[in-house]
Amino acid sequence: MSTEDQIIHKIKGEIGEDHLHDASNYRGECDDLYYPPDTESFARLLSALYADGKKITIAGARTGLTGGCVPEGGALISTGRMNRIGPFDRERETVNCGPGVLLADMQEHLRQHGYFFPADPTETLCTIGGVVANNSSGARSYKYGSARGFVTTAEVVFADGARLRLQRCDVVEQGGYFSFEVDGKPFTLPAPMLKMPSTKNAAGYYFKPGCDLLDLLIGSEGTLCVFTEVTLKVLPLPERLLSCVAFFESVEGALGFVSKSRRHEVTKSQRHGDTETRSHEDTETRSLEAVRALEFFDGNSLGFLRDDFPKVPEGSAAAVWFEVEATNENFDEVVTEWAGRLEAVGVPLDEVWMPVDPAGVEEIRKFRHAVSWKVSEYIKQKGLRKLGTDTAVPIEVFDDYYRWAIAMVREAGIKYVAYGHFGDCHLHLNMLPKDNAEYATGKDIYLGLCRKAVELGGTVSAEHGIGKLKKEYLKLMYGEEGIEEMRKVKRYLDPKNLLNTGNLFD
């Protein structure tokens, strides 16, 4: 098989340490590592491993935070060689690519054509296969939702090597099932009858009555299939961007500004996949519709960043970053409007970081991404696993939830940084324990924060997923009955339970 398909194959002892952990610092082991170059060889390899009863783990760039790509024995298949980017289709505004393509490379490819892919995970060196398998989102999800809504076509390989090409609307749920054929063999796949939270959510399998089969497979964390080719809908780059970091003397002032900057005029949400189309009654200003990111950083986060970003003033209790799409024609008007909004809440404009040039916008992007990287580095130095929440709750309870969460960690005396996608009511509270004893305390607090989020109608994971590390929290959301709904889908497509075993549930 290796000679025929030109698959690079390494065995235990030849496998580098980098392949055995992800960004959470979770570590595993495997017997074999394979690098198939294309879908055909990938499918044949998967079929052979499945027939042999071998556990199979799929890995991209290993930037995840939940251990989902970390093998626990068996074979590890890397998508690294499946990195072809197809030609950009300007008429359809789509791009086709393999799962091993790095997000940063695809964004640069699109930028040359004047386009971009809206999903914006913090780690741009992730792969497109990982983005789709985990339904990634990021800062721009406030306007655009997650990756799910931008996948138009995909080729998937099931656990036994069977291949299926799917176009959106080809297969939709009817009467509790998805009906389709693969090589003439009929499939009647049961749908997971789950009640999803109304918040941004990446916990478990996706289901809404009448949903597309693509939407179920996207975000299933490699447990139902592997995406070996995807076609993505992309969008024209905005002519101009207003990117601004405003610094506040109090956390309450920052929370209040976020609250005022959200779309209060929204009365309902309609979703296709996870892309929101909002309806407006009284739009206070038209530029609110162009806000694509609305993020919060507490004072501890700013302390983490100050050495590398001297524009961060001393003594700031919090900061809010927002990004607004504009045109060349209305850019000055947008700048004036948002400057007025900041002045109205008492923020001195001489301390606002509001560049009007592309280089300044890029520096803010680096600022926004740096805090997550610094947290990961701290955790690695301590030899611990990352302990950061990914919870989201409904808008009406978010501020109280944030205050309650911070009080829990402070009371325990654990160092922390808090930031996140507060436009989406999505909190990343990262505890920074100094040793194993504090880590154990932090784990208990983490469980309490997840339980509270579920009680409030939210989710335990808004974007990072569940993987191998957060299975107990998924049970909080759906209970044993909901987990069984997911298991029945898994059993139908993977009766031997070999594909990415250990992700989502036992």
Side-chain angles (χ1 to χ4, degrees), residues 30 59 89 134 157 180 191 221 240 244 256 284 311 335 341 356 417 451 457-458 462 468 473 484 492 494:
C30 67
D89 189 327
N134 295 287
V157 178
F180 56 97
E221 301 192 37
R240 299 289 297 273
C244 174
E284 184 181 341
K311 288 187 173 68
V335 171
R341 287 175 175 275
V356 296
V417 298
R451 182 176 285 115
K468 297 178 177 69
Y473 312 123
E484 180 56 30
Y492 188 94
D494 180 11

Side-chain angles (χ1 to χ4, degrees), residues 288-469:
L288 277 176
E289 299 179 23
V291 179
R292 67 179 189 176
L294 187 56
E295 312 251 311
F296 171 93
F297 303 86
D298 76 342
N300 294 337
S301 301
L302 298 179
F304 249 44
L305 295 169
R306 191 172 285 111
D307 288 345
D308 293 330
F309 298 92
K311 288 187 173 68
V312 177
E314 294 282 350
S316 295
V320 175
W321 168 59
F322 57 88
E323 199 167 66
V324 185
E325 294 178 353
T327 64
N328 290 323
E329 184 178 353
N330 75 355
F331 183 73
D332 290 342
E333 178 187 346
V334 169
V335 171
T336 300
E337 177 194 326
W338 283 90
R341 287 175 175 275
L342 292 169
E343 286 185 312
V345 295
V347 175
L349 291 185
D350 59 350
E351 291 190 358
V352 172
W353 186 2
M354 188 186 287
V356 296
D357 61 301
V361 171
E362 176 62 17
E363 187 179 7
I364 286 183
R365 188 194 69 81
K366 292 177 181 177
F367 164 86
R368 179 254 177 264
H369 289 291
V371 64
S372 178
W373 175 80
K374 283 182 172 290
V375 167
S376 295
E377 285 301 301
Y378 176 94
I379 294 299
K380 285 180 183 178
Q381 290 170 9
K382 295 293 183 180
L384 302 171
R385 294 179 188 169
K386 191 168 184 180
L387 199 57
T389 70
D390 189 31
T391 52
V393 298
I395 186 172
E396 61 271 15
V397 296
F398 176 72
D399 286 3
D400 286 341
Y401 174 74
Y402 172 79
R403 297 183 189 102
W404 180 83
I406 295 301
M408 289 272 288
V409 182
R410 283 181 173 171
E411 185 177 341
I414 298 176
K415 186 178 177 181
Y416 71 92
V417 298
Y419 56 94
H421 316 293
F422 278 26
D424 286 322
C425 303
H426 177 189
L427 171 64
H428 292 313
L429 173 55
N430 284 267
M431 288 171 267
L432 306 173
K434 65 176 182 287
D435 52 33
N436 286 320
E438 278 198 355
Y439 182 86
T441 301
K443 281 278 288 183
D444 291 339
I445 293 172
Y446 193 109
L447 178 62
L449 298 178
C450 288
R451 182 176 285 115
K452 186 71 169 180
V454 172
E455 289 173 359
L456 294 172
T459 178
V460 301
S461 179
E463 67 178 353
H464 294 160
I466 300 298
K468 297 178 177 69
L469 299 181

Side-chain angles (χ1 to χ4, degrees), residues 462-505:
E463 67 178 353
H464 294 160
I466 300 298
K468 297 178 177 69
L469 299 181
K470 300 186 179 184
K471 290 181 282 190
E472 62 182 302
Y473 312 123
L474 189 66
K475 288 182 181 178
L476 291 178
M477 280 187 68
Y478 295 111
E480 193 55 46
E481 183 178 343
I483 298 298
E484 180 56 30
E485 284 292 310
M486 296 183 215
R487 283 197 184 107
K488 72 181 184 183
V489 183
K490 172 70 169 172
R491 281 194 295 264
Y492 188 94
L493 291 176
D494 180 11
K496 294 183 181 181
N497 190 29
L498 296 177
L499 183 59
N500 281 304
T501 305
N503 286 359
L504 298 181
F505 39 76

